[in-house]
Amino acid sequence: MPMLGASPVLLNVGVAEFAVAPAAHGATVRQLEWRPPADGDRELGLLLARLEDDADDPVGERVRAANALAVERILAARPMLVGVRPAAEAIPGLGPLTILHAGPPIAWDRMCGPMRGAIVGAILFEGWAATPLEAMSLVMDGRITFAPCHHYGAVGPMAGVLSPSMPVVVAENASGGARAFATLNEGLGKVLRFGAYDDEVLTRLRWIRSTLGPTLDAAIRQQGPVDLRMLIAQALQMGDECHNRNVAATSLFARKLAPSVLRAAEHDAAIVVLDFLAGNDHFFLNLSMAACKSTLDAAQGIPGSTVVTAMARNGVEFGIRVSGTGDRWFTAPANVPEGLYFPGYGPDDANPDLGDSAITETRGIGGFAMAAAPAIVRFVGGTPDDALGYTREMGRITLTRDADFALPSLGFAGAPTAIDVRRVVDSGVAPVINTGIAHREPGVGQIGAGIARAPLACFADALRALGRELLVGEAGR
């Protein structure tokens, strides 16, 4: 009709099948994705409504105020690298014959292959056993204590195995004083975090303990604390997302520390250390993780808050922690990442999602900031438009944007920050995680990289627990 000035366009909301018949008769149809809150779960839907921000309701106002405080603490955090020390010295309460691992708690008999391999390697590295068989005997006799890294303020990529004499980076939140720890990145190839423990792996770990750790610590002490938040912010504007791509961040770190390394160490040691940094584009990952952990711990334990403070995987289960429910874990089976595989490997070889590195997504970088790193799609799969889409999508499940983590490709909008359990359950949008893919057998190593989604069930369980904490009850009444 002339009054419309153009052909009509139909807008179809929800079920896509409704648009099939009009489209078949030549109509132009635009599909609007929509689903009922909580995927139609009435019980959860009522609970969501009860926990919404509401200044006129005591519960809604309590949630709003608690989340405002959590966001304030996250944005105010200033993680600084203050040293590199042996784990037994730096981590309070880390006892002898204790090994930390990635993800939520898990017993030896349920651990995945890469984690078991890394534990055997750590026992050999510590000298608690002389052979893999002896190491297994120690475990089976119950003489080794296992605990999640997160229970000690630490984080570790992939298997995340951390033992007492390993050097750890110490990140201190200058705004709140909380400290977090992470091992030093070993590089790619055969490495402990993927479950390898042959002589090459153990020799590198001993060099990290004897030379790399002490040299970096001496350099940091000479020049003073390193502002990790500032380095992350710069790297996001140089093509990194600071989880799976750390080329710029590692370069910035090496450039900043190189003069002090040369002044603090013997010439030959300094050259070897700088060569190692130059050849390991992933070195900054562990620093990024420690920075994110110290930031998010500042928001932990605020009654009523629905902000997620940790996402972690042990290769069997995916676990989350939420500010308002303290140290409790909510878990669900871990998914297998989808992505690109190295030649000779495929999905049947892959271990389910593994590692504490999702602490970066919890903070709002990594997969949440993929818009900053379109080149990474050549490593994890997809297109540059997909990278932009992931970041936009994560904005639907977060409470704010961090202006300091500006993303050039989105007009310098801030990275989506502070995952809200309510928004995840309401929208059905699962947090996206940019990750490496480990072979399911120990010692093989990385076989690809891709995208993993957090399972929604643990967010629904967390929401129910928050409801009980707020004396609402699961029926939302």
Side-chain angles (χ1 to χ4, degrees):
M1 293 180 292
M3 64 179 294
L4 294 176
S7 299
V9 176
L10 301 181
L11 181 64
N12 186 62
V13 180
V15 182
E17 283 74 12
F18 291 159
V20 172
H25 287 80
T28 301
V29 181
R30 295 285 184 269
Q31 178 68 30
L32 177 64
E33 287 192 24
W34 179 86
R35 63 175 65 191
D39 204 25
D41 186 313
R42 181 177 183 277
E43 179 187 13
L44 281 175
L46 289 170
L47 185 56
L48 278 171
R50 193 68 180 87
L51 298 184
E52 272 302 306
D53 293 359
D54 186 349
D56 297 323
D57 175 77
V59 172
E61 172 56 18
R62 185 178 177 187
V63 173
R64 186 207 62 77
N67 283 340
L69 179 58
V71 168
E72 178 184 331
R73 289 181 179 178
I74 290 171
L75 296 181
R78 288 291 181 273
M80 309 290 289
L81 176 64
V82 298
V84 179
R85 306 299 302 164
E89 175 187 322
I91 301 177
L94 182 65
L97 294 176
T98 298
I99 292 179
L100 308 185
H101 61 77
I106 188 168
W108 169 262
D109 59 358
R110 295 187 64 230
M111 288 180 184
C112 64
M115 185 172 285
R116 286 188 175 199
I119 286 171
V120 169
I123 292 172
L124 297 174
F125 168 70
E126 293 291 343
W128 299 338
T131 68
L133 191 60
E134 289 181 14
M136 293 282 288
S137 295
L138 280 179
V139 172
M140 301 308 291
D141 290 344
R143 295 179 60 188
I144 306 296
T145 299
F146 299 117
C149 289
H150 273 283
H151 291 192
Y152 286 81
V155 280
M158 302 312 290
V161 164
L162 191 161
S163 61
S165 73
M166 292 180 182
V168 293
V169 300
V170 182
E172 181 173 300
N173 179 3
S175 297
R179 286 189 164 190
F181 316 94
T183 51
L184 293 168
N185 193 283
E186 310 159 73
L188 295 178
K190 280 192 173 183
V191 290
L192 189 80
R193 67 180 184 276
F194 285 102
Y197 56 81
D198 63 14
D199 288 343
E200 176 186 345
V201 174
L202 298 180
T203 297
R204 186 189 303 113
L205 288 175
R206 293 183 187 113
W207 174 78
I208 289 174
R209 177 173 61 190
S210 66
T211 303
L212 180 61
T215 299
L216 293 179
D217 186 65
I220 294 164
R221 289 178 187 278
Q222 183 177 87
Q223 76 157 44
V226 177
D227 189 333
L228 296 175
R229 180 185 175 95
M230 184 182 69
L231 288 182
I232 292 171
Q234 287 182 283
L236 289 174
Q237 299 197 27
M238 297 169 66
D240 283 356
E241 39 74 89
C242 294
H243 181 170
N244 242 348
R245 183 180 168 89
N246 286 281
V247 179
T250 299
S251 300
L252 289 167
F253 177 75
R255 187 178 71 169
K256 186 170 187 61
L257 219 61
S260 297
V261 168
L262 289 168
R263 284 192 289 266
E266 296 292 334
H267 177 76
D268 289 349
I271 296 302
V272 174
V273 165
L274 293 176
D275 278 345
F276 180 78
L277 294 180
N280 181 4
D281 287 343
H282 289 271
F283 186 80
F284 192 80
L285 166 62
N286 299 39
L287 298 169
S288 173
M289 291 172 60
C292 293
K293 173 66 175 169
S294 69
T295 295
L296 290 159
D297 277 0
Q300 179 71 358
I302 302 173
S305 173
T306 58
V307 171
V308 178
T309 52
M311 298 192 294
R313 314 88 93 198
N314 57 31
V316 177
E317 293 180 319
F318 188 108
I320 67 169
R321 281 174 154 179
V322 178
S323 176
T325 53
D327 292 336
R328 182 176 172 185
W329 288 98
F330 301 93
T331 63
N335 297 320
V336 175
E338 295 182 2
L340 302 179
Y341 287 85
F342 300 160
Y345 298 106
D348 291 342
D349 302 309
N351 198 80
D353 201 14
L354 175 65
D356 289 332
S357 54
I359 195 70
T360 57
E361 278 79 10
T362 318
R363 173 61 184 89
I365 55 178
F368 281 48
M370 275 187 71
I376 201 172
V377 298
R378 301 189 69 179
F379 189 48
V380 301
T383 67
D385 284 343
D386 292 334
L388 297 175
Y390 284 131
T391 297
R392 291 190 178 106
E393 185 183 29
M394 295 304 100
R396 296 176 57 191
I397 59 171
T398 48
L399 290 173
T400 190
R401 288 184 176 272
D402 189 338
D404 285 352
F405 290 172
L407 309 176
S409 60
L410 292 179
F412 294 95
T417 300
I419 302 169
D420 185 349
V421 165
R422 298 173 303 175
R423 293 192 177 187
V424 174
V425 175
D426 187 4
S427 64
V429 173
V432 64
I433 297 161
N434 219 342
T435 187
I437 303 175
H439 197 285
R440 61 174 61 251
E441 299 296 334
V444 179
Q446 185 172 3
I447 60 172
I451 299 295
R453 289 281 187 169
L456 291 173
C458 49
F459 293 87
D461 289 343
L463 186 72
R464 293 188 181 96
L466 283 161
R468 288 191 290 272
E469 293 277 340
L470 292 164
L471 303 177
V472 173
E474 293 190 20
R477 294 185 290 271

